[in-house]
């Protein structure tokens, strides 16, 4: 039985991509997982990492290091990195999986002679390029990590073809694409009620996603349409702004989020999943998120803007509508023309697509890479 270490600077129990790796590998391997938060309910050795303190003076100190280009000093003195080395530095592994570029240097340090697989959840060098301060502090730093560590990886994976191609173009690597799809949920489409089309959007309340565009969209739709937001409270101030923007329309509700394993089951009672994501940075332009696949697994029709990665899959499976632009009025125009028959057909198409767009398919690629490396 091989010893495998998974590292992620995230709350493991609520990180869907990391938890899918855990579920795939637990039982058949001696699995150690290092990250934040409580111990996941899994057959693993869990190593809880300490986070760096969030004091203002401390942040200024780290910012100065980044501005001066002291990248190694910045990295190796972060509390989570030091914590991992203290707890795992004497351990031996057959394979180390680094989730995101931020954990790659640590993965190589802990791996010794063992191979390292880097799973890039996003295109890290341009993740928040729409924010000037992020570009100033982290742009050069993350590019430096990518240039030094990605070519050393025995294997690399990422979430979609557009991001894989950019990593290949800039850093000369060849990432394998493993989608952010959940396991096959084996759900059936729920009936569409005549005269009603129930829309839902779920995810994090992140300001740069411009979620208010979907509130604006409702102003162009007739009374058949309702929209529920099921948002994690990641930015309380922004979530309050969204509630204020929607309070004049009784068709818009904000409902409590459900635990990650229950998302698809909860979505199943709706008709269409909506995600209108303006391409304010590279990752948003090439977004192919968990929620797209969760909409499909929940047997919903899907309504999106012209995001190429999502649009290509949607058109291939004919399971929804793609707006002509990212404007609220444009997606509303695509939705307004739908009737009960069309929405029913979309839900049936997602039901068929769910048999292919699931982690059983993508997990086979990861298992193959693990077998090859370990």
């Amino acid at each position: 039985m091989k010893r495998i270490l998974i590292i992620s600077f995230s709350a493991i129990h609520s990180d869907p991509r990391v938890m899918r790796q855990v579920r795939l590998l637990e039982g058949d391997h001696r699995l150690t997982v290092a990250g934040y938060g409580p111990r996941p309910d899994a057959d693993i050795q869990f190593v809880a990492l300490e986070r760096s303190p969030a004091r203002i003076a401390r942040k200024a100190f780290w910012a100065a290091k980044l501005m001066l280009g002291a990248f190694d000093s910045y990295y190796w003195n972060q509390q989570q990195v030091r914590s991992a080395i203290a707890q795992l530095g004497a351990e031996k592994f057959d394979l180390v999986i680094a989730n995101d570029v931020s954990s790659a240097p640590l993965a190589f340090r802990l791996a010794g002679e063992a191979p390292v697989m880097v799973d890039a959840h996003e295109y890290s060098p341009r993740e928040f390029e729409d924010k000037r301060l992020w570009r100033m502090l982290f742009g050069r730093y993350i590019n430096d990590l990518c240039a030094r560590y990605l070519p050393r990886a025995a294997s690399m994976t990422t979430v979609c073809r557009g991001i894989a191609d950019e990593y290949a173009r800039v850093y000369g690597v060849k990432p394998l694409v493993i989608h952010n799809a959940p396991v096959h949920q084996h759900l059936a489409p729920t009936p569409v009620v005549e005269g009603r089309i129930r829309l839902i959007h779920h995810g994090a309340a992140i300001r740069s996603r411009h979620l208010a565009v979907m509130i604006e969209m409702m102003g162009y739709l007739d009374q058949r349409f309702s929209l529920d937001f099921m948002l994690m409270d990641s930015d309380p101030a922004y979530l309050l702004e969204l509630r204020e923007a929607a309070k004049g329309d009784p068709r818009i509700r904000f409902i409590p989020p459900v635990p990650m394993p229950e998302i698809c089951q909860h979505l199943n009672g709706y008709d269409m999943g909506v995600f209108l994501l303006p391409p304010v940075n590279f990752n948003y332009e090439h977004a192919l998120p968990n929620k797209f696949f969760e909409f499909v697994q929940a047997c919903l029709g899907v309504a999106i803007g012209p995001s190429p990665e999502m649009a290509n899959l949607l058109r291939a499976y004919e399971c929804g509508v793609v707006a002509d632009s990212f404007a609220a009025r444009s997606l509303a125009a695509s939705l307004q023309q739908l009737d009960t028959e069309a929405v029913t057909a979309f839900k049936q198409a997602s039901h068929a697509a769910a048999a292919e767009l699931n982690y059983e398919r993508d997990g086979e690629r990861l298992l193959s890479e693990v077998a090859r490396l370990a």
Side-chain angles (χ1 to χ4, degrees):
M1 186 176 284
K2 300 294 185 180
R3 289 202 68 191
I4 297 177
L5 170 64
I6 295 175
I7 308 170
S8 182
F9 295 145
S10 65
I12 302 296
H13 75 286
S14 59
D15 188 321
R17 189 169 177 89
V18 178
M19 282 305 300
R20 283 193 287 270
Q21 293 174 5
V22 171
R23 295 297 182 215
L24 190 70
L25 299 175
E26 65 177 337
D28 294 330
H29 304 277
R30 292 175 59 196
L31 194 61
T32 300
V33 181
Y36 303 144
R39 184 186 188 280
D41 181 17
D43 183 15
I44 60 173
Q45 174 194 359
F46 181 64
V47 176
L49 302 181
E50 301 173 21
R51 298 178 191 243
S52 294
R55 294 191 294 270
I56 297 297
R58 195 70 172 169
K59 287 184 176 180
F61 177 70
W62 295 126
K65 284 183 177 288
L66 291 173
M67 291 294 289
L68 293 171
F71 299 147
D72 279 342
S73 177
Y74 171 82
Y75 187 87
W76 296 109
N77 284 289
Q78 292 180 87
Q79 186 63 36
Q80 61 269 31
V81 174
R82 293 162 64 96
S83 173
I85 293 171
Q87 297 181 77
L88 293 166
E91 301 289 330
K92 299 293 183 183
F93 299 98
D94 298 297
L95 172 67
V96 179
I97 301 175
N99 278 274
D100 275 331
V101 174
S102 60
S103 63
L106 174 63
F108 281 101
R109 170 80 171 263
L110 297 176
E113 298 300 316
V116 171
M117 175 190 292
V118 177
D119 182 25
H121 297 200
E122 302 283 354
Y123 187 70
S124 297
R126 296 172 62 181
E127 188 167 4
F128 298 108
E129 64 181 352
D130 52 307
K131 300 178 180 179
R132 183 169 178 268
L133 183 60
W134 186 91
R135 293 198 308 272
M136 291 173 55
L137 293 179
F138 292 99
R140 290 184 306 133
Y141 164 66
I142 296 177
N143 176 67
D144 179 74
L145 294 186
C146 289
R148 285 198 287 158
Y149 290 98
L150 294 186
R152 293 173 54 189
S155 178
M156 182 179 174
T157 59
T158 191
V159 297
C160 68
R161 177 47 51 196
I163 289 176
D165 289 345
E166 188 69 1
Y167 273 120
R169 184 185 71 82
V170 178
Y171 301 107
V173 293
K174 296 180 179 180
L176 179 70
V177 173
I178 297 180
H179 293 138
N180 273 332
V183 297
H184 194 190
Q185 301 291 303
H186 299 283
L187 297 171
T190 53
V192 181
V193 177
E194 187 68 37
R196 288 184 60 196
I197 299 178
R198 299 159 296 177
L199 310 177
I200 187 165
H201 173 86
H202 75 288
I206 297 175
R207 191 176 296 274
S208 61
R209 291 182 180 176
H210 298 278
L211 304 180
V213 177
M214 288 178 280
I215 295 174
E216 180 188 351
M217 173 196 73
M218 290 297 292
Y220 301 112
L221 293 172
D222 63 40
Q223 294 301 310
R224 293 176 301 154
F225 292 88
S226 63
L227 171 62
D228 282 2
F229 282 103
M230 188 171 74
L231 300 175
M232 294 180 291
D233 193 9
S234 48
D235 184 340
Y238 182 54
L239 184 55
L240 183 60
E241 290 176 25
L242 292 173
R243 288 179 179 273
E244 283 293 310
K247 69 180 183 180
D249 191 336
R251 299 173 301 162
I252 302 174
R253 301 189 307 164
F254 290 81
I255 63 174
V258 299
M260 184 178 63
E262 300 174 18
I263 288 175
C264 294
Q265 181 67 53
H266 188 81
L267 297 179
N268 185 240
Y270 291 85
D271 298 315
M272 299 198 70
V274 184
F275 192 27
L276 190 59
L277 182 67
V280 299
N281 58 46
F282 181 86
N283 283 311
Y284 284 7
E285 180 183 354
H286 294 275
L288 187 56
N290 294 298
K291 62 176 60 63
F292 178 88
F293 297 100
E294 287 160 350
F295 290 156
V296 170
Q297 286 297 324
C299 303
L300 305 186
V302 182
I304 57 171
S307 302
E309 300 287 344
M310 288 190 279
N312 287 341
L313 279 179
L314 185 150
R315 289 176 177 134
Y317 290 96
E318 300 181 335
C319 58
V321 295
V322 180
D324 292 332
S325 77
F326 293 97
R329 189 188 293 269
S330 179
L331 186 54
S334 297
L335 287 166
Q336 186 63 45
Q337 63 187 342
L338 301 179
D339 55 18
T340 300
E341 183 179 357
V343 175
T344 299
F346 289 150
K347 296 179 77 168
Q348 291 292 343
S350 282
H351 184 218
E356 297 183 17
L357 300 179
N358 57 61
Y359 197 62
E360 281 81 354
R361 295 291 183 93
D362 285 290
E364 290 175 1
R365 299 190 188 102
L366 182 60
L367 282 176
S368 177
E369 284 295 277
V370 168
R372 180 177 70 85
L373 297 174

